[in-house]
Amino acid sequence: MRVTTGSPYCAPAAGCGVCTAPAAELSEAREAKDHGKAYDAAVEIRNHPHPEK
């Protein structure tokens, strides 16, 4: 699942179950125009560690 946020740095990693919840929160917050919650979810996705490929 790829969420368009305007920044490639807060896109959830493909197949990462941990990224699923904040990605859903980000999508819902953006639809609701709740910028604070959208920011928090984007930061959580961006800061979630994934191994380098």
Side-chain angles (χ1 to χ4, degrees), residues 5-29:
T5 60
S7 172
Y9 300 108
C10 61
C16 178
V18 176
C19 285
T20 303
E25 292 173 11
L26 176 59
S27 182
E28 292 170 8

Side-chain angles (χ1 to χ4, degrees), residues 31-51:
E31 288 178 21
K33 298 188 186 324
D34 187 337
H35 304 293
K37 283 186 181 181
Y39 178 85
D40 291 344
V43 167
E44 187 173 349
I45 293 167
R46 185 181 66 234
N47 291 337
H48 175 69
H50 294 103

